[in-house]
Amino acid sequence: MIFIYIMSQEPDYSKFTAEDWKNYRPESGASGDEKSEKQSAIVEIRAGTGGDEAGLFAADLYRMYSRYGQTKGWKERILDSNISSVGGYKEIVFELSGVGVFDELQNEGGVHRVQRIPKTEKQGRVHTSTATVAVLLKPKKTEININPSDLRIDTYKSSGAGGQYVNKTESAIRITHVPSGLVVTCSSERNQMQNKETAMSLLAARLLQQQEESDLSKLTTERREQIGWAKRSEKIRTYNYPQNRITDHRLEKSWHNLESIVDGDLEPIVKAFKNNKKSDE
């Protein structure tokens, strides 16, 4: 497939094939209103209510963020994942790095709800399922200090789809931060040291978020609303497939190009949040 760009018009991402995504390169250069600072964000997606369908929805959300990242020229690295029996994700944790990553995705945290007819549904009934998304800013090494004596580190054998390296060595890492009770795991690498470094980065990001939430809880309700902090328990968006509609409940705004957005064209929603922020300033 050949794409012709006219006056910087965006391609139709919904028509991209797997090969198109592999070969796609975004136009270089950032617009004047974009921050030039490179950032790293850790995105955690977990299946919520809805059984297998929730896992498939979690996979759809991962694809949406992954493909959007490709259009922005961001680098991606999967840190941990748990694949369901039907090909969805019970959980997936990945890192995106590039210009303005966290600035653009920080509003994605919360509960995402999908309404559609599952492929396994024989009577054509619409089911409602959910998945939770957390977007963590990966802290710089100087932003948070972790005392090694506060950690309990365990190793275990990685499990997966098979292959000569699976279950042969205890390369997977589980780190428990005893004071907070936070537990992180990583099994994406074959090397135990690499898994430990990745797990430590994830732990640092979660500790930073925990500190920010603690600081925010001390503020008044009015001030918290002004800041617009999104809790993981907050239902932020509904994906209604029968009506081809995505509704963001914080903005009270809907879009009727659902398939295109889920296929990676997240720009309309990102721009809506940017415009909303400017109007509040």
Side-chain angles (χ1 to χ4, degrees):
M1 184 180 294
I2 299 175
F3 297 101
I4 301 175
Y5 298 91
I6 301 175
M7 297 179 65
S8 69
Q9 183 177 354
E10 290 285 349
D12 186 351
Y13 300 120
S14 64
K15 296 180 180 178
F16 271 34
T17 64
E19 188 66 21
D20 293 331
W21 281 110
K22 182 179 179 181
N23 298 324
Y24 177 70
R25 296 293 182 272
E27 294 181 5
S28 60
S31 60
D33 61 344
E34 289 184 332
K35 293 187 177 181
S36 58
E37 180 184 0
K38 288 187 177 181
Q39 301 172 323
S40 292
I42 294 174
V43 183
E44 303 175 334
I45 304 175
R46 293 181 175 85
T49 58
D52 289 339
E53 172 65 9
L56 293 173
F57 180 47
D60 290 338
L61 292 177
Y62 163 66
R63 187 181 75 249
M64 178 176 72
Y65 296 129
S66 178
R67 290 183 173 179
Y68 181 65
Q70 291 178 49
T71 69
K72 306 294 289 188
W74 298 339
K75 293 182 179 179
E76 178 188 325
R77 183 165 67 107
I78 294 179
L79 306 182
D80 204 9
S81 65
N82 187 350
I83 301 175
S84 68
S85 59
V86 296
Y89 283 112
K90 295 179 181 178
E91 175 185 20
I92 182 167
V93 182
F94 59 102
E95 179 182 340
L96 291 170
S97 303
V99 175
V101 172
F102 184 76
D103 295 331
E104 297 211 8
L105 297 183
Q106 60 182 319
N107 296 301
E108 294 301 307
V111 177
H112 296 240
R113 182 178 67 172
V114 64
Q115 295 173 320
R116 64 184 177 188
I117 301 174
K119 295 179 180 178
T120 55
E121 171 59 52
K122 296 180 180 180
Q123 299 182 13
R125 294 175 297 184
V126 174
H127 289 224
T128 298
S129 305
T130 63
T132 60
V133 175
V135 181
L136 314 176
L137 177 63
K138 184 178 179 180
K140 299 176 182 178
K141 292 182 179 180
T142 56
E143 287 184 304
I144 191 164
N145 294 317
I146 301 176
N147 190 337
S149 63
D150 290 337
L151 304 178
R152 184 173 70 245
I153 302 177
D154 303 304
T155 61
Y156 60 98
K157 292 181 180 180
S158 176
S159 61
Q164 59 179 326
Y165 295 100
V166 175
N167 291 326
K168 294 295 180 69
T169 60
E170 293 192 345
S171 60
I173 292 288
R174 180 189 300 109
I175 299 179
T176 303
H177 185 253
V178 177
S180 67
L182 286 174
V183 179
V184 296
T185 62
C186 183
S187 58
S188 59
E189 306 292 343
R190 296 170 182 168
N191 182 288
Q192 187 181 107
M193 184 59 66
Q194 289 177 318
N195 281 330
K196 181 180 178 182
E197 291 177 359
T198 299
M200 286 296 294
S201 295
L202 181 56
L203 176 62
R206 289 185 181 173
L207 286 172
L208 180 61
Q209 184 198 43
Q210 188 180 71
Q211 180 60 49
E212 290 174 343
E213 289 179 344
S214 176
D215 293 342
L216 192 66
S217 67
K218 299 174 185 177
L219 301 177
T220 64
T221 302
E222 180 181 2
R223 180 59 181 148
R224 287 200 298 269
E225 291 177 351
Q226 289 175 353
I227 294 174
W229 185 267
K231 296 181 179 179
R232 294 191 188 192
S233 59
E234 179 188 359
K235 183 185 70 175
I236 64 166
R237 192 175 298 152
T238 296
Y239 302 70
N240 188 311
Y241 276 76
Q243 299 180 16
N244 188 33
R245 184 185 72 238
I246 290 181
T247 300
D248 193 284
H249 305 291
R250 298 159 298 176
L251 295 175
E252 298 182 345
K253 182 177 176 62
S254 296
W255 295 264
H256 288 86
N257 51 340
L258 185 152
E259 291 286 353
S260 177
I261 290 175
V262 174
D263 279 331
D265 186 15
L266 196 60
E267 193 70 26
I269 296 179
V270 172
K271 284 185 176 180
F273 273 101
K274 288 181 179 179
N275 293 336
N276 185 65
K277 181 179 179 181
K278 289 179 180 179
S279 64
D280 290 340
E281 292 177 350

